Amino acid sequence: MNFYEIAQNRQSCRSYDAARPVEEEKIAAILETARIAPSACNGQPYHFSVCRGETAKAVAKACMGMGMNKFAAEAPILIVISEEAYVKTAALGAKVKGNDYRSIDIGIVSAYLTAEATAQGLSTCILGWLDDAEIREICGLTGAVSGAVRLVITLGYAKEGDKLRPKKRKEMDELVLQAFDSTERLSRSESAYLQTGIVDLDRAIDGFFPGEMTILGARPAVGKSAMAAFIGSNIARTGKQVGVCSL
């Protein structure tokens, strides 16, 4: 499978074949793929605890508060992802930029792990509803490996008849904003650009290009309409048609 096919086939599984064990070589392949996942400053600020048997059942129970995630008890393998300390460079970057790189890294490694599981013919579900303290005690996450438990991933073979569900996602135009950098803009025909007539503005944005929407924003009564009219008149002088709508 290519990656798009993996993404299409991967879904949150809530129906596992508890009687079918997961082969050790597949678990090893999944963990190896997770091991090479990228992370901020290559710090890998996380730890995996692979739980089987009664330990897996105990961890599953710690994810069932208020009646949630009951299906987790069927999964033969549960992988607990807990935090570890930042490396110094990532810690500095997180503090200076106010960005939670560790959570981002855990999200990335979870995507790698679940994608490889799908490639191996296995099913997964990422659980964030869990009892951190209880799972740390079950897994012996103390001392050097004492960070909070952030996610638990169920792993196993889906029950026969567990069909692939249609994916309900946002449309592309809701998710993607096309932004052109200056290099890409320069690759377009210069003759297609419409100059505003304001030298500094044209130098900054290269003028207007057909098919683009340009938004002029400012506080009330500072001259937006006058500026738009000035630009429109300059473009009209080049022989182009200009329409003005006032709402």
Side-chain angles (χ1 to χ4, degrees):
M1 288 188 286
N2 62 37
F3 189 78
Y4 184 76
E5 291 170 333
I6 289 171
Q8 285 281 9
N9 281 278
R10 193 270 153 191
Q11 67 180 7
S12 295
C13 178
R14 297 178 176 86
S15 181
Y16 291 94
D17 184 349
R20 187 176 179 184
V22 178
E23 297 88 342
E24 288 299 320
E25 59 270 22
K26 291 191 175 184
I27 297 173
I30 290 166
L31 293 173
E32 174 59 17
T33 297
R35 186 184 71 83
I36 64 172
S39 59
C41 302
N42 199 29
Q44 298 178 279
Y46 39 73
H47 181 268
F48 304 112
S49 300
V50 181
C51 304
R52 302 171 172 82
E54 293 304 314
T55 301
K57 291 185 183 300
V59 171
K61 186 175 180 181
C63 297
M64 295 182 191
M66 298 178 66
M68 300 288 284
N69 302 324
K70 291 182 179 180
F71 65 89
E74 300 176 345
I77 303 291
L78 273 72
I79 299 176
V80 174
I81 304 179
S82 54
E83 289 183 348
E84 283 198 346
Y86 277 124
V87 294
K88 291 181 179 180
T89 47
L92 177 62
K95 184 175 182 179
V96 171
K97 292 300 183 181
N99 208 341
D100 185 3
Y101 296 126
R102 182 160 43 202
S103 292
I104 295 170
D105 292 341
I106 289 173
I108 293 170
V109 79
S110 298
Y112 270 57
L113 192 155
T114 54
E116 180 60 38
T118 301
Q120 295 288 338
L122 295 163
S123 296
T124 56
C125 189
I126 303 171
L127 310 180
W129 183 275
L130 50 84
D131 187 327
D132 167 43
E134 181 69 16
I135 294 174
R136 277 197 275 175
E137 183 175 344
I138 292 167
C139 296
L141 297 174
T142 58
V145 186
S146 57
V149 172
R150 290 304 182 195
L151 296 173
V152 171
I153 299 178
T154 56
L155 176 68
Y157 286 98
K159 281 184 179 177
E160 188 174 352
D162 185 43
K163 295 181 179 180
L164 184 65
R165 303 182 297 274
K167 293 194 180 338
K168 298 178 181 180
R169 302 291 190 266
K170 292 181 179 180
E171 295 299 323
M172 189 70 76
D173 58 3
E174 294 182 73
L175 291 172
V176 179
L177 171 65
Q178 297 289 354
F180 299 108
D181 62 24
S182 58
T183 303
E184 188 171 358
R185 291 176 65 93
L186 287 171
S187 69
R188 300 172 176 180
S189 171
E190 291 186 4
S191 63
Y193 287 104
L194 302 175
Q195 301 297 302
T196 68
I198 303 173
V199 176
D200 289 342
L201 180 60
D202 288 332
R203 185 180 295 118
I205 69 170
D206 300 321
F208 299 149
F209 190 84
E212 291 181 343
M213 174 183 288
T214 303
I215 299 173
L216 174 61
R219 294 172 60 83
V222 297
K224 295 188 299 295
S225 297
M227 183 176 181
F230 177 74
I231 292 172
S233 65
N234 287 337
I235 293 174
R237 290 191 186 97
T238 68
K240 302 293 185 181
Q241 293 184 338
V242 176
V244 178
C245 299
S246 181
L247 302 179

